[in-house]
Amino acid sequence: GLVFNWIKAMGGLPAMAGHNAAKAALLYDFLEGSGFFSSPVARDCRSLMNVPFKLKNEALDAAFLKGAEARGMVQLKGHRSVGGMRASIYNAMPLAGVAALVAYMTEFEAEHG
């Protein structure tokens, strides 16, 4: 009941759908515009909740994860069948959290790209 009440307080399902679409668009748009990061998933198959992505240079994966963890961003290591990274941006993840990830990715790309 707590999740139901929270969704209702957030504006209901239509508001949550818009919120989740905005978060996913922010991250996917960044990935599409990056020459350093990429999405291994076809556009018509992409999830609004789990966004896998890869660095062009896999040798930088560990450094990326270490920097993310230092910024409080954890559990970004990708699924073993896909590799790379995976951002889980479920309902409770605020847009500001995704914006912080994109800001870190931009910074990392500038330093290592």
Side-chain angles (χ1 to χ4, degrees):
L2 293 175
V3 172
F4 174 78
N5 289 333
W6 178 78
I7 289 173
K8 192 174 172 185
M10 296 297 290
L13 293 179
M16 290 306 301
H19 175 71
N20 290 333
K23 293 184 301 184
L26 177 61
L27 187 48
Y28 284 124
D29 287 349
F30 171 79
L31 293 170
E32 292 296 324
S34 173
F36 189 77
F37 294 93
S38 64
S39 172
V41 180
R43 287 182 190 195
D44 61 344
C45 297
R46 291 178 176 173
S47 169
L48 295 180
M49 298 289 139
N50 288 297
V51 180
F53 59 93
K54 294 187 173 198
L55 284 80
K56 289 253 178 175
N57 181 353
E58 291 181 12
L60 294 172
D61 284 2
F64 178 80
L65 289 170
K66 184 177 179 179
E69 187 170 345
R71 289 162 175 78
M73 297 176 219
V74 297
Q75 302 298 321
L76 285 171
K77 186 173 181 181
H79 190 275
R80 65 182 168 267
S81 68
V82 179
M85 309 299 149
R86 179 179 65 183
S88 294
I89 55 174
Y90 296 108
N91 291 330
M93 170 61 72
L95 183 61
V98 178
L101 174 60
V102 169
Y104 169 58
M105 293 168 77
T106 301
E107 176 187 324
F108 193 87
E109 182 173 353
E111 290 178 15
H112 300 281

